[in-house]
Amino acid sequence: MSLPVSVEDIRRVAGSPAAINLLEAVITSRAGSDYLTNGEMEELMKALFPFTLDAFQVEALRSILKSRNVIVSAPTGSGKTVISEMAIWFALARGRKVFYTSPLKALSNQKFSDFQQIYGEETVGLLTGDVVRNREAPVLVMTTEVFRNILYGEAIREDEYSYVPSKLTGETVSVIFDEFHYINDPSRGTVWEECVINCPKHINIVGLSATMANPMDLKDWLAGVHGPTDLVVSEHRPVPLRYMFATNKGLYPLFRDAEAGPGARNGVPLLEGEEEDMAAEEDILELAGGLRASEGKIITPKKPRAPLIPLNPVFEDLRKDTIRSLVKRHRPGIEARLRRQSNNGGRGGRRARQLKKLMSYDDDDVDQFEGRKERSLQSLVSAKQIADAETPTLSKLVSQMRKKQLLPAIIFMFSRSGCDSSARRLAADSMELLSEAEKQAVQAKLREFAQENPELLIEPWRIGLLRKGIGSHHAGLLPLYKILLEELFNANLIKVLFATETLAAGVNMPARTTAITVLRKYGSEGLTRLSTSQLLQMAGRAGRRGKDHEGSVVLIRSDRTDAREAAMTLLAPLDSIKSQFRITYGLATNVLRVRDLSKSRELIEKSFGVFLQARRREAEGRMEILDPAVAKERINDTRQRLREMGVDMNELDIYRRAFQRLQAEKDWLSTVRTSAEADRAAAVSKMLPTFRKGGAVELINGEVGAFVGLLDQQFRPPQLSTGALARAPLAIVLTTTGQLVVACPNAIVNLDPRSQVGLPYPDARTVVDTMAVWLNQQQRQGEGDGPVWGEVLPGLYWLEMPDEPTDRQGAILYDLCEEVGSEVVPPAAAVQPPAVARQTKVVERAQRNLEEAAIHTRTDRQQVLRMGLDLLALEKQLKRGNRSARTAQLNELKEAYGSLTRPPWQEFLAVGRVLAKWGALTDEFVPTSFGSLVGYLNAANELWLGHVVCWEPVIDRLNPSQFAGLIHAVTKDFSRKASDIKVRPSSALMDAVSELEDHAERLREDQENELIDLSIPVDINTASLVEAWADGMSWEELTARTNLEQGDLCSLIRRTAEVLRQLSSLPHGYIRDRVVSAQVPELAAAAVRRIDRYPVREEQPLDSSSRDRVLLEEVLYEEATGTGGEIPDESEDEEGGEGEDAFEEEAPPPGGTWIDDALVAEAREGIEEDQVFQQQQPPPQRRGRARPQPLPPPPPAVDSGYGYGYEVVPGRSGF
């Protein structure tokens, strides 16, 4: 039957809501059939996109069309969003519903806007906790936590205590989990696991993830708990990456192959010949592990190695140039230091005198230094000096990127203050990044933004940054302002955006270039190195599809990052995804409301953590000490499977024995060589005293030279003055490069006494006599100390002497060594000891036997060898247990799969016992009415929040503003500290929190007794801010009375509002049964109305007549009239004067501080960023128009009704 709609018809309306109707018409045209053939549907779906789908996108599409679960693991920026759009098109074409979830509200908001443009406004809804739009739409966008709450509500939808935002009916066909790798997030990963194990089986799961180390584990787990699942893995990027490294000299490709690296055109190639070696090594090591099992060693495949890509050799040349330049530049200081050291005497003084002689050379001579002289030069400067000299200035970095047409760029930093200060410093350099047309476009956008948001508080210097094409993006900014930044950046009106790493995991803002300043950051465990996953997440923002032919990733030289460390971090293995499943009070009560203990256990043991532990136990099975009968049964099963594969057990045994023989012969060869080396060292030790002076010598480092004599005891290197080598003779050898070295007997591999090799005796005697005279002379000048020796290898040392000595005897020795050394004739090739030669032939023969075995030529050799390994281990265990091997293997598997402090079910029972003690469960673990409330709530500790809202003696005394402050105090999950708060909480709020502290302590003790680690917040630190905001304090005044940044303040108020919304919508059953007071939803609703105002509620700006309108309009007016909004000019003060006094900073408001400077919590973070760029000039001081003064504090008010209940305390911190 022909289709009523052609592919061309679909293509004409692709990307618009009209395509939905056409797709529905195609499907309904098939009488009695809901599906087209997969091939027909695939062609129609492909026509929905204006570009050719990549292979991994087509593969994912086919899984979606088959109604199978699918996990997609692909790099950031590879086009995973297309897969989510395909799943949505497919659902809409069939008249079904689909859920799209993301870990971040900002990302959900962006997808909501994007999907509305594609599918139509009426087709897409939004649920993010604080915003509900079009909740009955067929496409619902939400955060993952909201979806988890829907799942728990759906399970009890007939319960009168439930409140379900949107039911999961049979019409819902799929749920899309964007950023599925968040399942590995330590604090939030449990939400993803809860969603998967609770999701109804009829709903297909589409998981979109960045590159993962163990996606197969996730796929197998999902298949086990939710049905057939496909895994799609891709390393392809439609816009390939190019990795650069920035130094003070310029931007250079990081690797020798400029197209190599993760996500680059040539990917991560193995070194030449390494691919075959690794494949062969994997086969052999698999079998070798089995053979070594009987010796008590580990049976496990080797971990994958990080392939090495050769670095660009230019970095070594740049380093040498930097050292020479530093020596020339700091010559006076170096000479002064060496002069002081040389006056101290001793070996340190001798070394200083030798180095000081280097400084006597002209700068032109320094440029020509190679070899020993170059190594000596490097010791004159410190590693920090080298790093500082190679680190680019901020303006130079941006200039280089601009010159190479790499803008727009996102420069990632790891502190908010670093973003702000770097942006201001760049703007102060007067670099013009925008054209006149672009400047006008920015001005127009700012005017439009000001009209929409007249009350927005914004610092004037931020406006100046935008006018210069520069931005700073971090969580401390108001969401409204961040949206403005994102719109300007996507319109190519911001050329350089400084951002924290949260941008990489948030909204879609690709750039032509991403730059990463440092590879270390401060976290909960102090200064830690960035993981490869984190680095690749930021790197993946480079490259805009349809705009750039490639994206550039710039890693920047700093005091802690050089090119080698950058490459090693980039190429290190990814971290494995592990379970973060946690049993919370809400989870336990929700599970028990519809399940008995037996069914609850089945659900809990579906978690990813339990799956990984089962997989770990499966791996441990190889080392199990089995019952003989069980072991025999497994042996027979394995043999049967091998026979079915056509494997001759005799051939497998031959291969195993051949490899065992090869390993044994190699081990014996190593023993023979060790013995031969010991015999050779003993023979050399006996020969040296009578060995011909001038005889040829070969050393263990491959150099050759002539023996000129034995070193006197008084001049021996300190490392050889004690121990077994203290009496060993030390040979003085003049190498062909003119270097004098001393060698222990074990550092000499060949002695050739023939007169036709080496040196003539007179030349050798002249060298050793001249050396003796010079050493004695140096010893007298150095007050008894011996010469300075540099270690080449253990047992081999070179004599440090000036390249062009100023003393006559030293000059004679130097010239003599260079002249005579060049005349040394190398010795004949060393004869291999007979025993070593014989054993080498045996090993070669064993290697040939292994390669000729039939198993070695099989294409499925790896699988056969693994089964052979299992078989061998089982056979060994029949003979004897291997407890030591099992212990070692357990440690390996623990690292690979993680470990649980205790099984999740035991954790579940412990949580249940605490719930029962606090009245949320009966003794039979059946939820009570209070337990139902605990399951309804969503908080870090639902039991604690439920207890608080049910404690009427406290609640009855509070008004809505105080209630908002209390809810914030008992649900606070805000990590940033506010050290300077000028608003004191009301006495009623303080009394309430004080009374609840005893309750919190009791719950804390109960949790500790059950080994439960769930937070119990009771923190009034920032509660006064929430109370004051709910009581009507203006945003300007509120921000002036705390050192919290506006974004942080907005975030903590919004989080409180989310909890209040839950409480305002409590189902009537809780009120009727007196689980909670009827006053609770009333207080919560009133508090929400007071809290939910601009700018906390961004979609409802204040009326333009509001008394709070101060800053943004005035800044734009000054900008239009040329009186403000500029980045401060460092050269003049406000009065037009000059000089140092002009840079004094304006005084902060009385009793307060400037918010953007009061970053106490980030002081530690900022240290790292301050070391990233070498500053050309100090950061600009705050200039221009002062921030509006805060309103005069109102007098303390008495608690009454719903009026002001707080006290404003000017000039004080805390209360």
Side-chain angles (χ1 to χ4, degrees):
M1 180 185 296
S2 62
L3 298 178
V5 176
S6 68
V7 170
E8 287 303 321
D9 293 332
I10 297 291
R11 188 170 287 122
R12 277 193 293 270
V13 294
S16 69
I20 300 174
N21 296 330
L22 291 183
L23 290 173
E24 287 180 335
V26 173
I27 290 180
T28 55
S29 67
R30 294 298 178 88
S33 173
D34 195 28
Y35 295 90
L36 301 168
T37 65
N38 285 339
E40 292 172 332
M41 196 66 196
E42 181 180 325
E43 290 304 312
L44 292 176
M45 296 293 286
K46 288 179 179 179
L48 291 167
F49 299 92
F51 49 84
T52 302
L53 298 182
D54 294 327
F56 82 97
Q57 294 168 336
V58 174
E59 187 178 352
L61 170 61
R62 289 169 180 166
S63 297
I64 293 170
L65 296 180
K66 295 175 184 176
S67 297
R68 293 171 64 89
N69 305 310
V70 59
I71 291 180
V72 180
S73 175
T76 301
S78 59
K80 295 187 292 292
T81 300
V82 171
I83 298 172
S84 65
E85 293 175 6
M86 290 190 296
I88 294 173
W89 282 120
F90 184 53
L92 294 177
R94 299 165 59 194
R96 306 294 180 84
K97 291 186 176 182
V98 61
F99 287 5
Y100 171 94
T101 76
S102 83
L104 304 170
K105 287 184 181 178
L107 185 55
S108 295
N109 291 334
Q110 185 184 58
K111 292 300 182 184
F112 172 67
S113 176
D114 294 344
F115 290 163
Q116 277 192 323
Q117 294 181 17
I118 299 173
Y119 307 108
E121 293 185 3
E122 298 303 318
T123 306
V124 185
L126 178 66
L127 299 173
T128 59
D130 58 341
V131 177
V132 177
R133 302 271 185 85
N134 199 12
R135 67 177 354 139
E136 299 303 327
V139 179
L140 278 180
V141 180
M142 63 193 68
T143 56
T144 314
E145 281 82 359
V146 170
F147 182 68
R148 187 264 312 268
N149 297 340
I150 291 175
L151 289 172
Y152 286 140
E154 177 66 14
I156 54 167
R157 61 180 177 272
E158 301 303 329
D159 193 314
E160 60 182 330
Y161 292 124
S162 68
Y163 174 76
V164 183
S166 181
K167 296 183 179 182
L168 295 175
T169 64
E171 296 179 353
T172 304
V173 67
S174 341
V175 58
I176 302 163
F177 290 100
D178 204 352
E179 309 291 344
F180 195 58
H181 55 271
Y182 262 74
I183 197 172
N184 204 36
D185 186 271
S187 60
R188 299 176 61 200
T190 183
V191 176
W192 277 256
E193 291 193 49
E194 292 178 51
C195 289
V196 170
I197 64 177
N198 282 288
C199 188
K201 291 290 184 68
H202 71 270
I203 297 178
N204 295 324
I205 290 177
V206 179
L208 308 178
S209 171
T211 305
M212 299 181 288
N214 56 332
M216 185 59 74
D217 286 334
L218 273 177
K219 178 257 182 184
D220 291 345
W221 168 62
L222 191 59
V225 301
H226 201 72
T229 303
D230 295 328
L231 173 63
V232 178
V233 178
S234 173
E235 295 296 332
H236 170 73
R237 277 182 53 94
V239 181
L241 298 178
R242 177 186 292 265
Y243 293 92
M244 314 283 286
F245 193 75
T247 73
N248 199 36
K249 299 291 182 64
L251 282 173
Y252 302 93
L254 178 61
F255 302 113
R256 181 189 299 167
D257 178 0
E259 304 293 337
R265 284 189 176 88
N266 294 340
V268 186
L270 296 170
L271 296 178
E272 183 178 354
E274 189 178 13
E275 187 171 5
E276 294 181 2
D277 294 343
M278 288 184 67
E281 182 183 33
E282 181 181 356
D283 295 338
I284 301 303
L285 286 173
E286 287 275 4
L287 189 58
L291 296 170
R292 291 195 296 271
S294 61
E295 303 168 10
K297 297 182 180 179
I298 301 170
I299 297 181
T300 182
K302 283 188 69 175
K303 292 184 177 179
R305 298 176 298 173
L308 296 178
I309 305 177
L311 283 174
N312 189 340
V314 71
F315 297 123
E316 183 61 31
D317 297 334
L318 291 175
R319 182 179 180 83
K320 293 177 181 179
D321 291 343
T322 299
I323 293 171
R324 295 187 181 105
S325 176
L326 286 171
V327 170
K328 291 187 289 185
R329 185 191 315 164
H330 301 290
R331 179 185 292 271
I334 294 174
E335 288 178 342
R337 172 168 56 85
L338 293 176
R339 192 178 303 112
R340 289 193 301 271
Q341 294 176 352
S342 62
N343 293 335
N344 293 334
R347 184 173 292 108
R350 181 182 304 279
R351 172 68 171 160
R353 287 193 296 274
Q354 292 173 349
L355 293 175
K356 188 173 68 173
K357 292 175 183 178
L358 287 175
M359 304 305 297
S360 64
Y361 295 105
D362 295 335
D363 288 348
D364 291 340
D365 295 328
V366 170
D367 288 335
Q368 304 303 319
F369 281 174
E370 296 289 346
R372 290 175 296 162
K373 293 182 179 180
E374 187 176 35
R375 290 195 298 269
S376 298
L377 275 184
Q378 184 170 341
S379 64
L380 295 174
V381 293
S382 67
K384 187 177 187 309
Q385 285 179 304
I386 297 173
D388 289 344
E390 292 182 343
T391 299
T393 63
L394 180 54
S395 60
K396 179 171 286 190
L397 172 69
V398 175
S399 295
Q400 291 168 353
M401 290 195 293
R402 186 182 184 188
K403 183 178 180 181
K404 293 181 178 291
Q405 299 183 338
L406 299 181
L407 300 181
I410 300 174
I411 300 180
F412 285 105
M413 313 187 88
F414 299 107
S415 79
R416 302 175 184 182
S417 59
C419 290
D420 287 345
S421 63
S422 295
R424 297 178 72 174
R425 191 158 61 245
L426 178 62
D429 289 336
S430 301
M431 186 179 298
E432 291 294 335
L433 299 176
L434 298 180
S435 66
E436 287 303 319
E438 289 172 330
K439 289 180 180 179
Q440 293 175 10
V442 171
Q443 295 286 69
K445 183 64 180 176
L446 289 173
R447 292 191 193 98
E448 177 187 346
F449 186 70
Q451 291 173 0
E452 296 173 354
N453 304 275
E455 309 307 323
L456 186 67
L457 290 173
I458 183 171
E459 297 89 337
W461 59 267
R462 293 194 188 276
I463 296 294
L465 290 179
L466 299 182
R467 294 179 63 205
K468 287 179 173 286
I470 302 169
S472 174
H473 187 290
H474 52 72
L477 302 173
L478 278 173
L480 279 170
Y481 180 70
K482 287 195 289 185
I483 292 173
L484 172 64
L485 284 174
E486 292 157 10
E487 290 176 351
L488 288 172
F489 188 83
N490 288 330
N492 200 24
L493 296 177
I494 291 181
K495 304 298 183 180
V496 178
L497 182 67
F498 296 90
T500 55
E501 63 178 324
T502 53
L503 181 65
V507 295
N508 182 26
M509 282 180 59
R512 178 169 296 173
T513 301
T514 59
I516 295 92
T517 54
V518 289
L519 300 182
R520 304 186 187 201
K521 65 172 185 174
Y522 281 101
S524 58
E525 300 179 357
L527 186 64
T528 58
R529 186 190 301 270
L530 276 183
S531 70
T532 303
S533 299
Q534 291 170 324
L535 180 57
L536 292 178
Q537 182 89 21
M538 290 182 281
R541 289 299 179 189
R544 301 166 298 176
R545 190 165 190 167
K547 294 183 179 181
D548 304 320
H549 67 279
E550 67 179 9
S552 296
V553 181
V554 179
L555 303 170
I556 303 171
R557 177 66 159 112
S558 70
D559 62 335
R560 290 194 176 99
T561 303
D562 57 13
R564 178 174 177 78
E565 182 181 6
M568 293 302 291
T569 304
L570 192 63
L571 300 175
L574 298 172
D575 294 333
S576 295
I577 302 292
K578 297 177 182 177
S579 174
Q580 309 296 340
F581 190 62
R582 289 184 303 131
I583 306 296
T584 63
Y585 295 116
L587 182 150
T589 53
N590 280 317
V591 168
L592 289 168
R593 288 175 72 174
V594 292
R595 298 173 180 85
D596 57 21
L597 278 177
S598 175
K599 294 293 184 181
S600 296
R601 181 168 187 171
E602 289 180 13
L603 182 73
I604 296 302
E605 293 188 344
K606 289 181 178 180
S607 74
F608 188 45
V610 172
F611 170 83
L612 288 179
Q613 296 312 302
R615 180 150 286 190
R616 174 178 165 181
R617 287 193 297 273
E618 180 183 337
E620 290 171 4
R622 292 179 177 175
M623 298 305 300
E624 277 185 296
I625 301 176
L626 301 175
D627 179 84
V630 176
K632 288 179 180 179
E633 182 179 353
R634 291 191 183 180
I635 288 172
N636 292 334
D637 290 343
T638 304
R639 288 182 178 274
Q640 178 61 33
R641 289 167 55 200
L642 286 170
R643 280 193 293 269
E644 292 173 356
M645 295 172 63
V647 177
D648 187 328
M649 297 305 298
N650 291 329
E651 291 292 343
L652 181 61
D653 189 57
I654 290 172
Y655 188 83
R656 183 181 65 185
R657 292 179 184 277
F659 184 79
Q660 188 174 19
R661 177 62 181 270
L662 176 61
Q663 289 297 106
E665 299 296 357
K666 283 184 176 180
D667 290 343
W668 182 243
L669 176 59
S670 177
T671 301
V672 170
R673 280 177 174 164
T674 301
S675 176
E677 289 170 359
D679 293 342
R680 184 194 66 214
V684 169
S685 183
K686 292 180 180 179
M687 292 175 61
L688 282 178
T690 58
F691 189 65
R692 178 180 76 83
K693 287 183 175 62
V697 178
E698 182 181 353
L699 303 173
I700 57 172
N701 66 341
E703 289 194 74
V704 296
F707 171 75
V708 298
L710 295 176
L711 187 67
D712 190 271
Q713 187 72 21
Q714 62 177 323
F715 299 124
R716 294 175 73 91
Q719 302 93 322
L720 301 178
S721 299
T722 59
L725 295 175
R727 295 185 177 276
L730 297 183
I732 305 172
V733 178
L734 176 64
T735 67
T736 55
T737 59
Q739 177 69 57
L740 285 169
V741 300
V742 294
C744 294
N746 59 4
I748 298 174
V749 298
N750 189 17
L751 290 175
D752 190 342
R754 295 176 300 156
S755 59
Q756 59 266 39
V757 296
L759 286 174
Y761 172 80
D763 289 348
R765 184 59 186 266
T766 300
V767 170
V768 73
D769 289 346
T770 306
M771 176 183 173
V773 173
W774 183 77
L775 288 176
N776 282 293
Q777 178 181 304
Q778 292 295 310
Q779 188 179 45
R780 288 194 300 271
Q781 294 175 355
E783 300 179 3
D785 271 351
V788 178
W789 300 99
E791 186 177 62
V792 180
L793 291 170
L796 188 63
Y797 301 84
W798 61 284
L799 177 64
E800 295 189 16
M801 59 181 297
D803 290 316
E804 294 193 20
T806 55
D807 63 295
R808 180 173 177 274
Q809 192 63 38
I812 293 173
L813 177 61
Y814 183 87
D815 293 340
L816 180 65
C817 289
E818 284 199 340
E819 179 183 352
V820 175
S822 63
E823 299 174 354
V824 173
V825 179
V831 178
Q832 198 173 43
V836 174
R838 287 194 300 271
Q839 188 58 29
T840 301
K841 292 180 179 180
V842 172
V843 169
E844 293 172 351
R845 187 166 55 251
Q847 180 69 42
R848 287 195 301 271
N849 291 339
L850 180 71
E851 294 172 355
E852 292 170 359
I855 297 296
H856 192 78
T857 60
R858 290 182 65 102
T859 57
D860 59 349
R861 178 178 56 178
Q862 293 185 21
Q863 182 181 359
V864 171
L865 292 178
R866 289 192 186 97
M867 296 176 67
L869 171 61
D870 292 338
L871 184 62
L872 182 63
L874 291 168
E875 290 174 344
K876 295 293 183 183
Q877 289 172 20
L878 267 181
K879 297 180 179 178
R880 58 178 178 177
N882 201 332
R883 297 182 183 276
S884 60
R886 186 172 188 273
T887 301
Q889 177 71 351
L890 285 174
N891 293 333
E892 289 284 330
L893 295 176
K894 181 179 179 180
E895 181 180 348
Y897 294 110
S899 61
L900 301 174
T901 53
R902 58 177 167 177
W905 179 245
Q906 297 301 320
E907 182 87 8
F908 185 91
L909 294 177
V911 167
R913 288 191 289 269
V914 175
L915 285 167
K917 188 171 184 179
W918 284 71
L921 297 178
T922 65
D923 293 340
E924 292 76 26
F925 273 35
V926 176
T928 63
S929 297
F930 173 60
S932 175
L933 174 66
V934 171
Y936 170 83
L937 298 174
N938 180 27
N941 191 318
E942 302 90 347
L943 176 60
W944 173 235
L945 175 59
H947 175 75
V948 170
V949 299
C950 291
W951 193 251
E952 294 186 14
V954 169
I955 302 300
D956 291 344
R957 301 196 302 263
L958 303 179
N959 65 34
S961 302
Q962 295 158 355
F963 183 72
L966 177 67
I967 294 302
H968 173 76
V970 299
T971 60
K972 179 181 177 182
D973 60 351
F974 187 69
S975 59
R976 305 189 76 84
K977 294 186 180 297
S979 58
D980 189 13
I981 298 177
K982 302 299 188 299
V983 181
R984 184 169 60 190
S986 64
S987 57
L989 177 57
M990 295 176 66
D991 291 343
V993 172
S994 177
E995 184 174 335
L996 287 170
E997 285 177 349
D998 293 336
H999 298 242
E1001 186 59 34
R1002 285 197 294 113
L1003 179 56
R1004 191 171 292 111
E1005 290 178 0
D1006 291 340
Q1007 287 190 172
E1008 290 175 353
N1009 291 337
E1010 293 290 351
L1011 302 178
I1012 297 172
D1013 183 22
L1014 292 173
S1015 64
I1016 308 172
V1018 55
D1019 185 0
I1020 202 171
N1021 181 38
T1022 51
S1024 61
L1025 297 174
V1026 176
E1027 182 187 19
W1029 176 249
D1031 246 340
M1033 180 177 280
S1034 70
W1035 186 254
E1036 176 190 349
E1037 185 176 359
L1038 190 70
T1039 56
R1041 297 191 180 278
T1042 175
N1043 68 322
L1044 284 175
E1045 295 185 87
Q1046 293 189 61
D1048 294 328
L1049 187 57
C1050 182
S1051 176
L1052 69 87
I1053 295 175
R1054 283 185 175 182
R1055 293 179 189 180
T1056 303
E1058 287 181 21
V1059 180
L1060 289 170
R1061 286 190 184 92
Q1062 293 182 58
L1063 298 175
S1064 68
S1065 303
L1066 285 174
H1068 180 70
Y1070 297 120
I1071 312 299
R1072 186 200 60 204
D1073 293 347
R1074 300 189 61 79
V1075 179
V1076 296
S1077 166
Q1079 190 177 2
V1080 169
E1082 295 175 1
L1083 286 170
V1088 169
R1089 287 193 296 271
R1090 291 166 171 263
I1091 280 178
D1092 202 17
R1093 54 193 174 97
Y1094 185 86
V1096 171
R1097 187 176 185 181
E1098 59 204 48
E1099 66 272 15
Q1100 290 188 2
L1102 291 177
D1103 183 78
S1104 59
S1105 62
S1106 169
R1107 67 180 177 86
D1108 293 336
R1109 182 180 55 185
V1110 280
L1111 187 55
L1112 184 58
E1113 284 186 328
E1114 295 183 19
V1115 170
L1116 268 294
Y1117 169 77
E1118 292 173 352
E1119 176 188 288
T1121 58
T1123 59
E1126 294 285 351
I1127 298 299
D1129 186 353
E1130 295 281 342
S1131 63
E1132 296 184 2
D1133 66 352
E1134 292 178 353
E1135 303 297 327
E1138 298 180 357
E1140 186 173 351
D1141 293 340
F1143 299 104
E1144 292 182 2
E1145 189 167 338
E1146 281 189 88
T1153 59
W1154 291 109
I1155 293 178
D1156 57 317
D1157 286 343
L1159 294 165
V1160 177
E1162 289 197 279
R1164 242 176 116 196
E1165 296 179 48
I1167 293 174
E1168 182 73 12
E1169 298 301 337
D1170 290 340
Q1171 297 172 345
V1172 176
F1173 296 112
Q1174 183 184 22
Q1175 295 188 15
Q1176 294 173 305
Q1177 55 188 355
Q1181 305 293 328
R1182 183 173 289 100
R1183 313 291 307 141
R1185 183 187 182 282
R1187 177 178 180 148
Q1189 296 291 323
L1191 299 175
V1198 180
D1199 295 343
S1200 61
Y1202 290 167
Y1204 280 77
Y1206 59 88
E1207 297 178 46
V1208 179
V1209 187
R1212 284 186 57 187
S1213 297
F1215 47 93

